[in-house]
Structures are given as C-alpha cells and as structure tokens.
Amino acid sequence: MDLKEFSDENGIILRRHLVALGIDDKVIRRAIDSGRIVRLRAGAYALAGVWDAADAIGRHRLIAAAVRLVYDEDVALSHVSACLEYGAPTWGMDLSRVHLTSLEGRGERTAAGIVHHRGGCGVLDITRDGQGWITAPTRTALDTASHLPQEPAVVLLDWFLHEGLTTKDELEIGRASMHRWPDSLALRRSVQLADGSAESVGESRFRLMCRRYGLPAPFAQYEIHHPNGRLAGRVDFAWPEHRLIVEFDGREKYRRFRRPGESLEEAIMREKDREDLLRELTGWRVIRITWADLARPAETIARLRRALGVAA
C-alpha cells in the first residue's frame, strides 16, 4: 500500500484519517518498521522521504504542522514555531520543541516535545494562515524575545521591524500589556535596543557589540552618492566624521544580493568593484567584519578604535 496518497501537501498523515479509511494500526506499524513513514507524535506521521530531506527548520515545521492538525482550532502556533512560519532568522533559538498557545486559557505544560503556553490572546494577538491560528507578528516577536537572551532577542525584534511586520510603537504597546509576565523587565530593554536598521543577523550583532563596548553609534545603511547626486551605493555602517565604512561580510549577504544566474564568485567580485568605487568617491577607509570577528569582540573593538581614533 502506498501511503503517499493519504498524505497532505506537507507529506503528513494522520492516524485518525487512516482509521476512518479502514487502515488499522498493524498496517501503520509495518509502514513505520519498514521505514516508509516516520512518527512525528502520537497520531501523526510524515512520509520518510519528506522527513529525511528536511533540515532542522524543516523538521520543526513538519512537527508543528502535524500538531496543528491534531489540535484543530483549540490552539495557535506561537513563539519560536510561529517565527519560523514568518521566515524569521533562527540564530540563538532552540528548535527542539514546538510551541502552542491555548486559545481556551488551559494550563501550561510541556509534553512529548510540545510546549503548551497559557498566555491569554486578545483579538489582535492572533491571525490565520493556511493551516489555522497563529499568533500575530507583534505578539510572536514579543513572546519569543521574552524567552531569549538579550542579543538573540534584539536580533529577532530587529528582523520583525525591518520586514515591516511590526512597528516600534506596536512592540512598546504590546510589551506594556505584558508587564506582569515573567522576564518582562528584560523584554523591555530588548525592545528599547531594537531599531530595525539591520538587514541581517550579523549586522544586528555588530551594532549591539559597538554599543556594548562604548563605541560612537554608527549610521546604519548609509548612502554614498556620485558628485552628480546619483546613488553610488549604500553601506552597512559608517562613521562619516571619522571617514570610516564598515561592511558586514557574511555569506547570507552575498546570497541575498546575488543576481539571477550569477555565481557566488561573481557576486563577490562585483562587491569588490563596488567597494573600490565607494573608496574612490569618499577617500574613506573600508573595514570588513565577519562572523569570526564577532566571536572575538575585544580584538575587533580594538581594531575599530584604532580606525576611529577613539580612546578606550
């Protein structure tokens, strides 16, 4: 028997649907033992090929989709799990558990890799996607950030702001309504630090590193023009008064700006030509920062201080 015909568009199969079609648990067990399907949780399975091809994010989303089918309209996908549906970056997040928020105010518990949250949801706190209820962007960002250390929390809030899924005012209003929740003081600080100017995780982390070590605040997404006023380029960060440009150099950046049909090597060479042009137009120094530089902040900050001429 080919169980693929009983799966949905995600490759998920529910036991209750199989039983309704007269397929008993012995058949299901044989399919599991033979490696044709994988058990996601009680009563829910995925086609083995779909599961094997999925990365950590894909597997989390598969389990989340299965759980939503099992619980129907009683819950909203929330926290980290909702972030993945919105396409948020996962840096600093724990993807090992799926998160749901009860729409009926039921007690909190964690069972079989599923975290059930009780936090009350107002009308504006939830919305619907193609699979059912999901917490709205502002609520999702705040819920998730409240469970993260400050740096990953600000990275996440920056992303939601930059993508236009929420605003600083909406975050402040939402946070104020959560003032009695655990970790609300830490969340308040994370919201204050988020500004949405960064276009990547690395850029958010660089901005926070500069602030943490007391460097003057750089201008983010700074525009440089030709003498005739035409835009020559936009750089990640700049200190105009110090004639210094900083570009965060990560693979995600090249993938994001790579043109159709362009190889990664061609994108890197085009970026080099762009950097040469900006240097010619401004006469400023250009420093490239990588993920490795973020891992050694003391050395990186010392390098920036020398370039800026700023005392420690």
Side-chain angles (χ1 to χ4, degrees):
M1 178 184 297
D2 185 6
L3 293 178
K4 186 175 182 179
E5 61 183 285
F6 304 114
S7 67
D8 66 7
E9 66 275 9
N10 295 314
I12 296 171
I13 303 169
L14 294 186
R15 175 184 177 275
R16 68 190 185 207
H17 292 162
L18 296 178
V19 171
L21 294 169
I23 301 172
D24 62 27
D25 288 332
K26 291 182 180 179
V27 175
I28 298 173
R29 172 49 59 186
R30 284 198 296 271
I32 295 173
D33 292 342
S34 65
R36 287 182 291 157
I37 61 174
V38 175
R39 183 180 182 274
L40 300 179
R41 54 155 292 121
Y45 313 90
L47 297 172
V50 173
W51 178 261
D52 292 341
D55 59 10
I57 293 175
R59 291 185 175 188
H60 184 110
R61 294 185 67 199
L62 273 173
I63 298 171
V67 169
R68 296 173 83 183
L69 289 172
V70 170
Y71 282 93
D72 292 328
E73 302 290 291
D74 295 335
V75 299
L77 195 69
S78 64
H79 295 75
V80 171
S81 303
C83 282
L84 296 190
E85 294 306 309
Y86 287 118
T90 60
W91 183 77
M93 293 186 186
D94 177 8
L95 303 184
S96 64
R97 297 182 294 180
V98 169
H99 293 256
L100 304 172
T101 293
S102 172
L103 299 182
E104 298 180 355
R106 293 177 180 170
E108 296 196 6
R109 70 187 192 281
T110 300
I114 312 299
V115 182
H116 298 261
H117 299 270
R118 189 181 56 189
C121 290
V123 174
L124 299 180
D125 289 332
I126 57 173
T127 185
R128 291 189 70 87
D129 62 9
Q131 299 181 69
W133 293 112
I134 182 172
T135 49
T138 300
R139 175 63 183 267
T140 298
L142 291 170
D143 275 345
T144 310
S146 69
H147 288 80
L148 293 174
Q150 185 179 92
E151 191 173 3
V154 175
V155 165
L156 180 69
L157 295 172
D158 268 354
W159 183 86
F160 272 88
L161 288 167
H162 185 267
E163 293 298 310
L165 294 174
T166 188
T167 67
K168 195 65 177 280
D169 286 344
E170 288 171 338
L171 288 175
E172 289 287 4
I173 292 170
R175 183 208 58 77
S177 69
M178 301 163 66
H179 69 282
R180 294 187 179 181
W181 290 30
D183 302 318
S184 62
L185 289 178
L187 178 61
R188 177 182 180 181
R189 183 58 177 155
S190 295
V191 171
Q192 289 173 341
L193 290 172
D195 67 10
S197 62
E199 294 185 335
S200 69
V201 173
E203 289 178 30
S204 285
R205 294 189 63 200
F206 177 78
R207 180 174 65 83
L208 290 173
M209 182 180 69
C210 291
R211 182 185 181 92
R212 185 165 62 248
Y213 283 86
L215 286 187
F219 288 89
Q221 312 310 322
Y222 187 82
E223 294 185 347
I224 294 173
H225 297 82
H226 289 277
N228 63 6
R230 182 169 60 89
L231 180 66
R234 190 180 63 182
V235 298
D236 296 334
F237 300 97
W239 284 269
E241 66 275 25
H242 298 282
R243 300 169 62 82
L244 179 66
I245 292 169
V246 167
E247 293 275 61
F248 188 81
D249 203 12
R251 277 185 168 269
E252 59 184 300
K253 180 175 188 174
Y254 293 112
R255 291 194 183 100
R256 188 168 69 245
F257 293 113
R258 209 161 84 188
R259 294 171 179 172
E262 187 177 52
S263 69
L264 186 59
E265 291 76 13
E266 289 170 335
I268 292 172
M269 289 305 299
R270 180 166 53 81
E271 176 64 14
K272 180 182 180 300
D273 291 341
R274 169 182 168 275
E275 179 182 311
D276 289 342
L277 172 63
L278 298 179
R279 195 181 284 111
E280 290 173 11
L281 288 172
T282 62
W284 297 359
R285 183 177 179 183
V286 178
I287 291 179
R288 290 197 168 270
I289 299 295
T290 66
W291 279 85
D293 293 318
L294 296 178
R296 44 176 183 263
E299 295 177 27
T300 302
I301 290 297
R303 177 185 173 197
L304 290 169
R305 283 195 175 116
R306 288 194 297 270
L308 293 167
V310 177

